[in-house]
Amino acid sequence: MAIKNIVLIGAGGNLGPAILKNLTASPHNYNVSVLSRQESSYKAPEDVALIKTDYSPESLVSALKGQDAVVSVIATTAVLDQKKIIDAAIAAGVKRFVPSEYGCDSSNPVTLQRVPPLNFKNQIREYLESKQDQIEWTAIYTGPFFDWGLKVGFLGYNIPEASATLFSAQKDVPFSTSTLDFIGRAIAQALSPAIAPKTANQRLRVRSFTTTQTQILAALEKASGKKWTVQETDLDARVKDAQDKLAKSDFSGVGTLITGAIVDPKAGNNFDYNPSNDLLELPTEDINAVVKSVL
């Protein structure tokens, strides 16, 4: 039976609006809802239903009744809360659960070693694997959010100042990355009637494109028409500092740990070796066009 009714959990984050946009605009005519806490002030778009819950097991089962798929974009800090949502989805008869993955490949042991908090995401995927005789799942890895990362300086580029910080030893290491809109399209396609049977109980790796720090800098200089100020730095030293902070329960350096995983070839975040773009019928994007749109 085709997936028709889809509920999104965690719609208020960076990725939520892009997912809602692509699900509601999809030619597959999904019926889209958002699950929200009772006390939340979140307001859903006009064409999206809002379902309130107090997150008790009974309330969750009631909220998920009649839904075919749950798409979760819950923040990493609350990822383990998905276990009770999965249990409620099973009780409610939901067919498919898309856990809050995205980003780095959290199934890769090196990624997990570099970014210990991602173990929570891995635990959820393993929990779904243990329940796949009762509910299907689809895990989607996308690499870092490219357009969002450029805007907030996450990838080491400061657009207002036309400056960049490159990692000396890793500036030419290829890694895969996706725009927010591309991720939304990937989810819509993964649940579509002709493709959904092929994405059941699968880990998908999708990307807008695969690039390097050096190539991103070139695209930024081309789009801006100016030479950028470049500083090179030792990423390994920054990662060591972030690891020391994490050991003291200081999570302020987790972004640096994620960056370390993104540009570590052993962490498997170059998806060119096994991409799912063709399966989802999604062409790659042009880095120069994307960078120009961000600027």
Side-chain angles (χ1 to χ4, degrees):
M1 187 179 296
I3 293 172
K4 188 73 173 177
N5 302 318
I6 302 174
V7 61
L8 180 67
I9 303 177
N14 297 317
L15 186 53
I19 295 175
L20 285 178
K21 169 193 165 187
N22 282 280
L23 288 177
T24 55
S26 170
H28 305 299
N29 297 316
Y30 297 123
N31 297 317
V32 186
S33 305
V34 167
L35 192 68
S36 176
R37 291 186 181 275
Q38 293 282 10
E39 65 275 15
S40 173
S41 60
Y42 174 82
K43 295 187 183 301
E46 288 186 8
D47 50 355
V48 174
L50 183 62
I51 305 171
K52 293 281 190 174
T53 177
D54 62 11
Y55 271 73
S56 65
E58 299 80 10
S59 176
L60 283 170
V61 172
S62 176
L64 297 178
K65 282 282 187 182
Q67 299 294 336
D68 298 315
V70 172
V71 176
S72 174
V73 285
I74 285 178
T76 301
T77 52
V79 156
L80 291 180
D81 288 345
Q82 291 175 109
K83 280 191 177 182
K84 63 181 179 182
I85 301 172
I86 292 166
D87 291 341
I90 292 171
V94 174
K95 304 168 190 172
R96 181 77 60 92
F97 196 97
V98 180
S100 186
E101 281 284 356
Y102 324 112
C104 295
D105 183 348
S106 68
S107 69
N108 184 286
V110 176
T111 292
L112 296 179
Q113 182 181 10
R114 279 189 166 275
V115 194
L118 293 185
N119 275 283
F120 298 140
K121 291 189 174 185
N122 195 49
Q123 288 175 34
I124 291 299
R125 195 200 73 257
E126 289 179 342
Y127 187 68
L128 281 165
E129 288 176 349
S130 74
K131 301 286 185 178
Q132 68 184 38
D133 60 333
Q134 302 172 68
I135 189 170
E136 296 173 348
W137 57 271
T138 304
I140 304 177
Y141 309 124
T142 64
F145 304 162
F146 184 77
D147 47 346
W148 172 85
L150 279 185
K151 290 175 183 177
V152 303
F154 175 73
L155 297 173
Y157 305 93
N158 187 321
I159 293 176
E161 296 183 5
S163 64
T165 300
L166 304 187
F167 309 122
S168 301
Q170 296 89 7
K171 63 183 180 182
D172 294 313
V173 173
F175 62 90
S176 296
T177 181
S178 300
T179 63
L180 297 178
D181 187 71
F182 181 88
I183 297 169
R185 282 185 279 135
I187 292 169
Q189 284 292 94
L191 300 177
S192 62
I195 299 175
K198 305 171 188 176
T199 63
N201 306 326
Q202 297 294 318
R203 288 175 283 177
L204 309 180
R205 296 171 178 86
V206 300
R207 76 278 194 250
S208 291
F209 41 76
T210 296
T211 187
T212 68
Q213 270 203 306
T214 301
Q215 290 170 352
I216 295 170
L217 175 62
L220 284 164
E221 290 185 333
K222 178 179 179 180
S224 63
K226 64 177 82 170
K227 191 72 175 175
W228 281 41
T229 302
V230 178
Q231 176 185 358
E232 294 200 11
T233 189
D234 183 356
L235 176 61
D236 293 339
R238 290 191 175 192
V239 167
K240 177 63 169 60
D241 180 62
Q243 290 172 333
D244 291 343
K245 288 180 178 178
L246 188 62
K248 300 173 184 174
S249 298
D250 179 350
F251 288 80
S252 63
V254 169
T256 299
L257 297 180
I258 292 173
T259 301
I262 289 169
V263 295
D264 183 343
K266 295 180 181 178
N269 290 299
N270 176 352
F271 301 156
D272 283 0
Y273 73 97
N274 186 25
S276 301
N277 288 50
D278 288 348
L279 171 63
L280 300 185
E281 300 175 1
L282 288 175
T284 55
E285 298 185 294
D286 178 70
I287 185 173
N288 291 302
V290 172
V291 167
K292 186 176 181 179
S293 71
V294 172
L295 295 184

